Amino acid sequence: MWRKADIAFSDAAALSCSIVAAHPWVYGLGQQTPNGAYLSPVNAVTWLAGKLASMGGDADMTVFMICGDSHDGFMQSLNLLTTVFPAPAFTQVARLAQSSAVLNTVKMQLPAKGINSLPPSLPLSVPTSRAALNAQRTAAAQAEASAGSSLEGLKAQLGQFAAEHASLLDSISGGLEDLKAKSAPAWVYTSRGDVATAAAELLKNIPQPSAIYTVAMMFVGEDLTALGGMIHDIDSHVRP
């Protein structure tokens, strides 16, 4: 069954699975208009169920979904999820949705271009200037290499590398702890067993059917226990 849950990062574990994303920019799925791209949860889930039903057999399946009635609300929920689970599809949709909104705003604010206006500024590049720049970069690189070839220079570089390496390890450790403290709400659906049954159940009681902004990711594999560890049900419902 669909339910609302908090997605929170757990201990890392290797995971192999098939991933299918549904969002407004999937060709033939979303509705593209001059004012933006739209997709309802019903259309997104129906499309995912069709993909799932074509498999057959048994599998472990999980779906994460974010949807909303307004662009601002949708972006807020999606941005929260990408901080915890920055899957490519979620980050891509976040960029596309934000770019679309900014573009619509800019189009309303920009004045009409004058007929005699200059074209936009572009980098000037001709073969001779490129050759000269490359020669200058090569000479600079050679000079730097010569300056750092002394024993004292190498010792200094090794010491700097060791300090930077230690700082990087501390940063990674601290970042992992910060990540574990974050969570984001999302609609989730989980199932184990017959894929055809899961595809039919997926279509029951789809959340927020009237929403106009939707992105969903479906994960299908032999064992998604590691992914299930990220799901913390708000109603304390135990994952089947």
Side-chain angles (χ1 to χ4, degrees), residues 107 109-115 117:
K107 285 192 297 186
Q109 294 176 345
L110 286 177
K113 291 185 177 180
I115 297 177
S117 61

Side-chain angles (χ1 to χ4, degrees), residues 7-234:
I7 308 301
F9 188 81
S10 58
D11 292 331
L15 180 64
S16 179
C17 63
S18 297
I19 302 174
V20 182
H23 56 76
W25 288 272
V26 172
Y27 180 76
L29 180 58
Q31 181 182 4
Q32 307 293 327
T33 74
N35 296 323
Y38 305 96
L39 177 64
S40 71
V42 173
N43 288 341
V45 172
T46 300
W47 187 78
L48 291 176
K51 295 286 186 180
L52 187 64
S54 66
M55 289 181 49
D58 293 343
D60 198 353
M61 185 269 289
T62 296
V63 178
F64 291 168
M65 183 169 71
I66 294 291
C67 46
D69 299 311
S70 69
H71 183 271
D72 289 345
F74 173 71
M75 288 301 301
Q76 183 177 6
S77 298
L78 183 55
N79 287 334
L80 277 175
L81 184 57
T82 56
T83 62
V84 177
F85 190 68
F90 290 145
T91 55
Q92 178 191 30
V93 170
R95 290 194 302 268
L96 289 171
Q98 188 60 42
S99 297
S100 178
V102 170
L103 179 60
N104 288 333
T105 301
V106 170
K107 285 192 297 186
M108 292 186 294
Q109 294 176 345
L110 286 177
K113 291 185 177 180
I115 297 177
N116 296 323
S117 61
L118 293 173
S121 177
L122 296 173
L124 175 63
S125 179
V126 295
T128 51
S129 66
R130 288 196 299 268
L133 287 172
N134 289 335
Q136 290 175 0
R137 294 186 183 118
T138 301
Q142 290 174 339
E144 290 178 2
S146 298
S149 61
S150 66
L151 181 60
E152 292 301 321
L154 289 175
K155 288 182 178 180
Q157 290 178 11
L158 287 173
Q160 182 180 2
F161 173 77
E164 291 177 352
H165 184 258
S167 176
L168 178 61
L169 291 178
D170 290 340
S171 176
I172 292 174
S173 177
L176 179 59
E177 294 305 315
D178 290 342
L179 181 58
K180 287 183 177 181
K182 297 178 180 179
S183 66
W187 290 105
V188 301
Y189 186 96
T190 56
S191 175
R192 287 194 180 105
D194 182 61
V195 168
T197 301
E201 293 295 320
L202 189 63
L203 296 171
K204 296 180 179 179
N205 301 316
I206 298 173
Q208 297 181 242
S210 62
I212 58 175
Y213 299 99
T214 306
V215 57
M217 285 190 72
M218 180 172 68
F219 309 86
V220 183
E222 293 183 1
D223 185 3
L224 302 183
T225 302
L227 191 62
M230 297 184 64
I231 302 173
H232 302 272
D233 294 315
I234 297 174

